[in-house]
């Protein structure tokens, strides 16, 4: 009853991350089937051999670390924030 799916539906971060999909702001590429000539649109994905695909975990950890340090050093020390 209060499992993963329930939390995914009420989580504010999950809601905000789904806004581009709902409003169709996703980046799409047009593909044409050479045999049939049928046109379809598909989402643009990260290539498997790209820098981002190889280093995504390091990048996520670095951004997390920078955000955490920013919060501890600057945000927590300011009264108004």
């Amino acid at each position: 009853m209060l499992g993963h799916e329930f939390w995914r539906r009420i989580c504010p971060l999950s809601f905000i991350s789904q806004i581009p999909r709902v409003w169709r702001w996703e980046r799409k590429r047009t593909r044409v089937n050479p045999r049939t000539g049928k046109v379809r649109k598909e989402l643009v994905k990260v290539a498997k051999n790209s820098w981002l695909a190889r280093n995504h975990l390091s990048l996520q950890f670095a951004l997390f670390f920078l955000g955490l340090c920013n919060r501890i050093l600057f945000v927590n020390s300011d009264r108004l924030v």
Side-chain angles (χ1 to χ4, degrees), residues 22-36:
V22 171
W23 288 347
R24 301 187 194 283
W25 287 348
E26 298 170 318
R27 197 171 137 213
K28 294 186 178 183
R29 176 182 299 142
T30 303
R31 293 279 181 157
V32 179
N33 188 336
R35 272 193 299 160
T36 62

Side-chain angles (χ1 to χ4, degrees), residues 3-81:
H4 172 72
E5 292 295 321
F6 175 74
W7 177 247
R8 221 179 85 210
R9 287 189 177 94
I10 65 168
C11 175
L13 290 175
S14 177
F15 173 76
I16 290 171
S17 70
Q18 295 299 316
I19 289 175
R21 183 180 61 85
V22 171
W23 288 347
R24 301 187 194 283
W25 287 348
E26 298 170 318
R27 197 171 137 213
K28 294 186 178 183
R29 176 182 299 142
T30 303
R31 293 279 181 157
V32 179
N33 188 336
R35 272 193 299 160
T36 62
K38 194 172 187 179
V39 177
R40 67 182 172 138
K41 294 193 179 233
E42 63 181 31
L43 289 175
V44 176
K45 298 177 184 167
V46 176
K48 290 183 180 182
N49 58 355
S50 67
W51 181 89
L52 185 59
R54 289 190 313 266
N55 298 309
H56 69 280
L57 289 176
S58 300
L59 180 64
Q60 284 180 347
F61 183 74
L63 291 174
F64 173 73
F65 183 76
L66 288 172
L68 190 62
C69 288
N70 181 36
R71 179 174 176 220
I72 291 171
L73 294 174
F74 302 112
V75 176
N76 286 351
S77 64
D78 189 5
R79 252 189 179 167
L80 294 175
V81 177

